[in-house]
Amino acid sequence: MKRFILFLLAFVLVSGLAGCKEKPVPGGETNKPEIQTEAKELTELKDKIKADGNLIGVAYLGWIEGDAETAKAELAKQDYIKDIPFVKDIEKYAENEGYRMYLVVPADDSVTISVCKCEFDDEYMPYDGEELISTNEPVLIRGNMSDTIPNLYVIAKKGSEKVEYTPAQSGMDGRLENSKNKVYDFTPYDFMAEFSAYDRVPDAVFCGSWIAFENDGNGEERALGLELNPDGTASYVYGIGNSEILEQFEGTWTLGENDILKLELAGGPPESVENPVVAEPYDCNPSFEWEMTTEGLSLTHIDGDEILYGTKGNTFEFYVNEY
């Protein structure tokens, strides 16, 4: 009888200990709510990246100093990562000179991310240099002494698809440079103090520095440079490639009825290269229909002055002027 009671007590004890174990969930993982939540956030982010047809998502996460471990620990303390809590569990990391932190997330496991040092050729065009890391997992990367000049070069590949991207910030409003819509931008702007000073209105999505190439009425190709700033100021210049400015203008932009973009500019030919002052400025007030495209900014002249001789009614395809 005593043996039976002892056996029964031992059975109850073992059963009780077994009941204290974490309850298993499908897939064999233990039930840890905080890990499940972070996995859910990452999964939702990847779904958004894929929904936009991108191979990768990129977020700018601020200026973070210290060595690699210190920087990652400091990043995990920031309030603005509360919507991307999985950041503190990311193990993949690469850096070049500089302290601007970025997070790169692949759309799925079939996307390979290669992070390289960014180099520049004789024409100041970027290309991929020494490879720092290659992975198909989310990766933290840090670099860029300047906010607008990159020293990191990201290549994302999936089968025959390929995207090359140099993470940096726009010189217009400090946001992640993405004028060609190469990546899905999930930067937590609303929670980062450095962006609170900018007044971002939906109508100013075309703000930035743009460049286009168009033939004038004589068939001569001209390079056109246009800057539209969030504060409503604008500048325009055209010339022969990068070697000679023919005319330059300064002024403002406004949006009229039906979102027509109106420029009110004044300028003309500069005195000389050494003296870029316009001696006898005149008004140039064109109006455009505008559209953001996958390539950049499309402007169709509909009224007012021509911005280039012989181009009344033309459509200009502007691309981001990165340099």
Side-chain angles (χ1 to χ4, degrees), residues 231-246:
D231 62 1
T233 59
S235 62
Y236 167 66
V237 60
Y238 74 90
I240 303 173
N242 295 321
S243 61
E244 182 180 354
I245 294 176
L246 298 178

Side-chain angles (χ1 to χ4, degrees), residues 91-104:
E91 297 180 353
K92 302 298 182 181
Y93 177 84
E95 65 179 7
N96 199 356
E97 293 182 72
Y99 296 105
R100 287 180 169 81
M101 188 79 80
Y102 302 87
L103 171 59
V104 184

Side-chain angles (χ1 to χ4, degrees), residues 37 58 87 97 150 192 207 229 246 249 262 293 297 307 309:
T37 299
V58 180
V87 137
E97 293 182 72
M192 299 177 72
C207 284
N229 303 316
L246 298 178
F249 300 85
K262 297 182 178 181
T293 69
L297 174 63
I307 60 171
Y309 168 70

Side-chain angles (χ1 to χ4, degrees), residues 16-314:
L17 290 173
C20 291
K21 292 183 178 179
E22 291 177 301
K23 186 178 180 180
V25 295
E29 297 179 355
T30 56
N31 187 19
K32 295 182 179 180
E34 68 278 8
I35 293 179
Q36 285 185 333
T37 299
E38 292 173 10
K40 176 175 176 288
E41 296 284 354
L42 180 57
T43 298
E44 289 178 350
L45 175 58
K46 288 185 173 184
D47 288 342
K48 291 176 182 177
I49 296 170
K50 285 185 284 190
D52 277 14
N54 293 296
L55 293 184
I56 54 173
V58 180
Y60 168 64
L61 298 180
W63 177 279
I64 309 291
E65 298 183 8
D67 60 26
E69 292 306 313
T70 301
K72 287 193 282 186
E74 186 63 28
L75 178 62
K77 298 176 184 177
Q78 304 302 318
D79 290 339
Y80 55 75
I81 69 162
K82 66 180 183 179
D83 288 338
I84 45 176
F86 56 85
V87 137
K88 63 180 180 290
D89 295 319
I90 293 175
E91 297 180 353
K92 302 298 182 181
Y93 177 84
E95 65 179 7
N96 199 356
E97 293 182 72
Y99 296 105
R100 287 180 169 81
M101 188 79 80
Y102 302 87
L103 171 59
V104 184
V105 175
D108 55 51
D109 293 343
S110 64
V111 177
T112 300
I113 299 170
S114 298
V115 181
C116 308
K117 292 183 177 180
C118 182
E119 307 289 353
F120 293 90
D121 62 21
D122 293 339
E123 297 181 354
Y124 206 65
M125 296 300 293
Y127 66 91
D128 52 309
E130 176 189 347
E131 183 176 276
L132 301 173
I133 193 171
S134 181
T135 181
N136 62 350
E137 300 176 23
V139 57
L140 286 167
I141 59 177
R142 188 170 62 155
N144 294 11
M145 294 300 296
S146 163
D147 55 352
T148 58
I149 300 178
N151 67 2
L152 296 166
Y153 198 104
V154 178
I155 302 172
K157 292 182 180 179
K158 180 180 180 179
S160 61
E161 296 181 81
K162 181 180 180 181
V163 168
E164 298 178 61
Y165 179 70
T166 51
Q169 294 169 258
S170 165
M172 294 296 102
D173 61 4
R175 283 178 171 245
L176 191 70
E177 177 54 56
N178 194 26
S179 299
K180 294 184 179 180
N181 298 315
K182 288 186 175 182
V183 304
Y184 178 82
D185 180 4
F186 62 98
T187 304
Y189 296 109
D190 292 342
F191 302 101
M192 299 177 72
E194 65 186 276
F195 295 101
S196 62
Y198 293 104
D199 179 22
R200 299 184 194 84
V201 294
D203 293 334
V205 294
F206 47 65
C207 284
S209 181
W210 305 97
I211 189 169
F213 297 91
E214 185 77 13
N215 290 340
D216 64 17
N218 295 322
E220 299 289 338
E221 184 181 75
R222 302 299 183 221
L224 286 61
L226 177 65
E227 286 197 8
L228 302 169
N229 303 316
D231 62 1
T233 59
S235 62
Y236 167 66
V237 60
Y238 74 90
I240 303 173
N242 295 321
S243 61
E244 182 180 354
I245 294 176
L246 298 178
E247 291 193 285
Q248 60 189 40
F249 300 85
E250 300 284 341
T252 61
W253 65 264
T254 56
L255 286 176
E257 188 176 355
N258 297 322
D259 278 351
I260 297 301
L261 175 63
K262 297 182 178 181
L263 301 180
E264 295 185 1
L265 307 171
E271 286 284 314
S272 64
V273 174
E274 294 76 18
N275 182 22
V277 175
V278 177
E280 300 181 5
Y282 67 91
D283 292 337
C284 178
N285 302 322
S287 295
F288 301 92
E289 290 181 342
W290 63 275
E291 179 184 6
M292 299 302 299
T293 69
T294 56
E295 299 296 328
L297 174 63
S298 177
L299 296 181
T300 301
H301 180 263
I302 60 169
D303 196 15
D305 302 305
E306 299 174 344
I307 60 171
L308 185 65
Y309 168 70
T311 59
K312 184 176 182 178
N314 281 22

